Amino acid sequence: MKIEQFEDKGLAHFSYAILSECAREIVLIDPARNPQQYYDYAKANEANIVAVIETHPHADFVSSHLEIAQATGAVIRVSKLLAADYAHEAFDEGDAFTVGKLTFRALNTPGHSPDSLSIVLSREGKDVAVFTGDTLFIGDVGRPDLRENAGNLTAKREELAQQMYHSLREKLMPLAADVLVYPAHGAGSLCGKALSGANSSTIGAEKIGNPMLRAMSEEDFVKELLADQPFIPKYFGYDVALNKAGAPAFAPSVQQVPRLASGAALEAGAVVIDTRPAAEFKKGHVNGAINIQQGGKFETWLGSIVGPEESFYLIAADEATREDLIQKTAKIGYEPLIKGALVGTPATKATLPVLDVPTFREHPEHYTIVDIRNPVEYRDEPIFDGSINIPLPELRERASEIPTDKPVVVHCAGGYRSAAGSSIVANALPGTEVLDLSEAVKSFQTATAAH
């Protein structure tokens, strides 16, 4: 038996291939959008993919379960509660199947979503691992507030939090202490709020070290779980629906994205996502463009700023980056929304001024300061007295709340988000000087901490 873990760092997502060496057969759990890595793994091990299990209809990424099933003949297994639109076998508590000497059995573990499963892997009668999806993470548990308005089966966050309490204590904690825990996400995921940087654990270690598994009443658990959850990106509900239906095949869908010539005229009024470095963007860009830089979390911020009902142009610094960005966009199912992808900006008339940091440092009261970090960041580490907090995912809708009687300075925690934020504010407040504090914010954070 081999358990292979695949990591997508951008989405902090883990997927798994479980190989039965005697049967030369593989079971996949929660595969990512691009299936090629699983095909390569199967080929390298001279094995066939015979089953794909979805622990739930994911909100934060698009799964390749349907494409893999169509390509390999593998059976898709999901909870009957999902009411999946594609051909599948229901897999719920009491159900199990074997591959070689391995047995996979389902546990219904609602809490993150009503249709969440955990999968217990046994070898010759002994439990060896549990794949917990978004129910149990390392050091945390899944958030319960994503299915109030998404999917065929919705539930209030309080109800799901109560179910999470019982799923953890009645389904997962009774497993043997040495059972390995393999979650669907690690640190950086928006499906929880305090995930560890570790990629696996054991039931015994989590019972000792996971604060959400300590002894507490259901009431206290619900209160703690619901507090300070991160924002919900605009694309999450869209991905739930897409995963319930089954996404189109990855490579053909990516190939259908129109690649435009560098100087192509863009449709007036269309959303333009310019991914070039902030310094280049500020020197010149298409009027109205939003600067979401190519980076490790590009797809998350794209899906947080742009809603699934919008289409957009995608601008990249070079051809290789353009192809990478299209693939990142496909990870959240947004590739059909790309009106065209091109290299280099077709217009440079619009610019953004560069902030004179020493002048700002001397008289910050001469500026309207907009802090676009999340509310918890703003609360726990204040940086500037009197700043206005509008989180980046809300900025396009709320920029008109910003007073325009002074120059506006936009900042975040490290300079990545503020590039996007300043471009959004500049578009919303024409005639107002909008400045990006960028990475210089770190020097102010240090001073604040010292104070």
Side-chain angles (χ1 to χ4, degrees):
M1 178 190 74
K2 288 183 180 177
I3 298 175
E4 184 76 12
Q5 183 182 61
F6 299 85
E7 180 180 13
D8 179 329
K9 291 185 181 297
L11 293 172
H13 165 226
F14 297 128
S15 58
Y16 299 91
I18 300 94
L19 168 67
S20 167
E21 291 172 295
C22 62
R24 310 313 305 177
E25 292 182 335
I26 289 170
V27 175
L28 299 179
I29 296 178
D30 294 335
R33 179 74 191 276
N34 186 346
Q36 190 57 49
Q37 59 190 332
Y38 313 110
Y39 298 157
D40 292 343
Y41 181 76
K43 184 178 180 181
N45 286 280
E46 300 178 337
N48 297 316
I49 299 170
V50 297
V52 182
I53 304 174
E54 291 284 280
T55 56
H56 62 293
H58 308 282
D60 59 316
F61 73 95
V62 177
S63 171
S64 58
H65 56 287
L66 180 58
E67 178 180 358
I68 292 171
Q70 291 172 336
T72 67
V75 175
I76 304 175
R77 288 184 166 88
V78 297
S79 169
K80 63 185 177 186
L81 298 174
L82 170 57
D85 300 339
Y86 45 80
H88 66 279
E89 288 189 9
F91 195 49
D92 291 279
E93 200 132 339
D95 295 331
F97 66 95
T98 60
V99 174
K101 297 177 181 177
L102 308 179
T103 300
F104 297 80
R105 73 175 190 273
L107 296 176
N108 289 104
T109 50
H112 174 66
S113 66
D115 38 32
S116 284
L117 294 176
S118 293
I119 315 301
V120 180
L121 169 64
S122 303
R123 186 177 188 277
E124 297 180 319
K126 176 178 169 50
D127 293 346
V128 294
V130 59
F131 301 89
T132 53
D134 287 16
T135 300
L136 175 62
F137 295 130
I138 311 306
D140 198 5
V141 299
R143 63 190 297 181
D145 57 338
L146 301 181
R147 290 290 291 275
E148 291 188 308
N149 301 299
N152 66 304
L153 197 59
T154 60
K156 293 295 182 185
R157 60 187 66 191
E158 292 81 4
E159 177 186 344
L160 284 171
Q162 292 168 347
Q163 293 177 354
M164 178 67 82
Y165 179 85
H166 293 284
S167 291
L168 295 167
R169 282 155 179 77
E170 297 166 12
K171 304 291 182 64
L172 295 178
M173 290 174 70
L175 295 172
D178 62 349
V179 170
L180 296 165
V181 174
Y182 289 112
H185 290 294
S189 168
L190 288 170
C191 290
K193 57 184 177 182
L195 283 69
S196 161
N199 60 1
S200 66
S201 183
T202 64
I203 289 292
E206 289 309 295
K207 287 167 73 173
I208 294 171
N210 190 320
M212 298 306 290
L213 300 190
R214 71 185 189 278
M216 69 174 102
S217 68
E218 178 184 301
E219 182 180 359
D220 289 344
F221 177 89
V222 170
K223 185 177 179 181
E224 185 167 331
L225 182 56
L226 294 179
D228 298 334
Q229 285 290 353
F231 69 95
I232 301 174
K234 292 181 170 71
Y235 77 95
F236 269 25
Y238 170 81
D239 275 15
V240 170
L242 188 53
N243 282 318
K244 178 178 177 297
F250 174 78
S253 195
V254 163
Q255 195 55 44
Q256 288 175 11
V257 173
R259 274 73 167 175
L260 305 182
S262 295
L266 308 186
E267 183 182 314
V271 176
V272 178
I273 303 301
D274 190 328
T275 69
R276 294 175 302 143
E280 293 300 311
F281 179 86
K282 288 179 172 62
K283 291 177 183 174
H285 53 268
V286 174
N287 190 38
I290 299 172
N291 185 205
I292 307 178
Q293 299 174 84
Q294 156 73 320
K297 296 289 184 184
F298 168 80
E299 54 271 49
T300 295
W301 289 113
L302 173 67
S304 301
I305 293 170
V306 178
E309 72 285 355
E310 301 180 279
S311 57
F312 57 90
Y313 290 102
L314 189 63
I315 292 177
D318 55 61
E319 192 165 333
T321 303
R322 176 176 65 179
E323 298 310 306
D324 183 49
L325 288 166
I326 292 172
Q327 295 199 16
K328 285 184 173 180
T329 301
K331 284 160 54 179
I332 63 169
Y334 267 25
E335 78 279 8
L337 307 182
I338 302 176
K339 296 173 69 69
L342 58 156
V343 174
T345 179
T348 58
K349 189 174 181 181
T351 60
L352 279 179
V354 176
L355 176 64
D356 184 330
V357 176
T359 300
F360 171 71
R361 189 185 303 278
E362 191 171 349
H363 290 292
E365 71 277 11
H366 291 175
Y367 302 80
T368 296
I369 303 173
V370 182
D371 184 334
I372 62 168
R373 296 176 300 165
N374 300 325
V376 173
E377 296 176 275
Y378 180 75
R379 180 197 66 193
D380 292 348
E381 190 184 350
I383 300 177
F384 297 105
D385 291 338
S387 64
I388 300 170
N389 179 221
I390 305 179
L392 177 56
E394 303 173 16
L395 201 52
R396 288 178 71 197
E397 293 77 21
R398 296 181 55 196
S400 61
E401 298 175 17
I402 301 170
T404 57
D405 56 332
K406 302 177 188 176
V408 175
V409 171
V410 179
H411 80 84
C412 59
Y416 179 84
R417 283 175 286 179
S418 63
S422 58
S423 65
I424 291 170
V425 174
N427 295 334
L429 305 178
T432 301
E433 187 177 21
V434 178
L435 302 146
D436 177 11
L437 185 53
S438 191
E439 295 182 4
V441 70
K442 296 173 183 175
S443 63
F444 293 90
Q445 285 171 305
T446 302
T448 301
H451 179 71

